[in-house]
Amino acid sequence: MTHAVIVNARRQYAVWPCGSALPRGWHATGWSGAEQTCLALVSELWHDAGTSCGAASGTGGAAGRGRRARSRTPGDERHAPVLLAAERLWLREASVLEARMLAVGGGAGLRWPGAGPWPAVVRAADAACRAGDFVRRRPGWGLYLLLRTEDAQVVGTALFTGPPRQGAVELTLDLHPSTAGDRGYAGEALAELARWSLLQSAVRQVVVPVRAADAAARAALEHAGFQPGRAPEERLRYVLSR
């Protein structure tokens, strides 16, 4: 039986049978697979020092027969992923393992529109892997998966090009072509990622590059509160500051 990893508002994780109704207050993360695989992934990748983030099997309830995830030791580069909620999307930071799988065209156990990750996802994951040392040292500034809350399907990705530099971070966004008729996803994702970024003490400005000819992307940025900054004519840089 295939299982899914689910999460609640306290950032506790559990493994739940796919196809079964989720317990109240729990949401899909988009990661699924064999039960023991999901338990191992939660234990190895989704834990945080000093919290009650647990790896539990859902066969006996969301907090059924489970075991506590191991606490993080000094120098351990792993961390609990950033998980943000927009109106219709979950924005989840991809793990190093997920990024590596996506970079070679693998599905990483996620739900995709069509046959799997599209080329822009593979390129973004490859860029995240190449910046891996920086990302592991500065969690939160890597690749994000945009998961539709209604079915946990990946509809896009967002990528920070690196940790903050001189008070600024740069962000790129890509949506699957099937979402072209609903630019609201882009606005939701941009607004939530910018909100989270500007809450970090090292960030005063979020920058998003965009082609000047991409009117839809520019409209989504302006709807999220970004303003055009100085840039070459063919490529604009939209900026949101605090």
Side-chain angles (χ1 to χ4, degrees), residues 4-7 22 26-31 83 90 147-149 151-152:
V5 177
I6 61 177
V7 63
L22 296 183
W26 292 76
H27 306 275
T29 63
W31 202 320
L83 181 64
W90 284 103
L147 306 166
R148 194 164 53 195
T149 54
D151 57 8

Side-chain angles (χ1 to χ4, degrees), residues 111-139:
R111 297 187 62 184
W112 299 92
W118 55 100
V121 174
V122 176
R123 291 193 296 270
D126 181 64
C129 289
R130 284 189 278 108
D133 288 342
F134 287 107
V135 171
R136 283 192 290 271
R137 287 198 296 267
R138 299 292 299 273

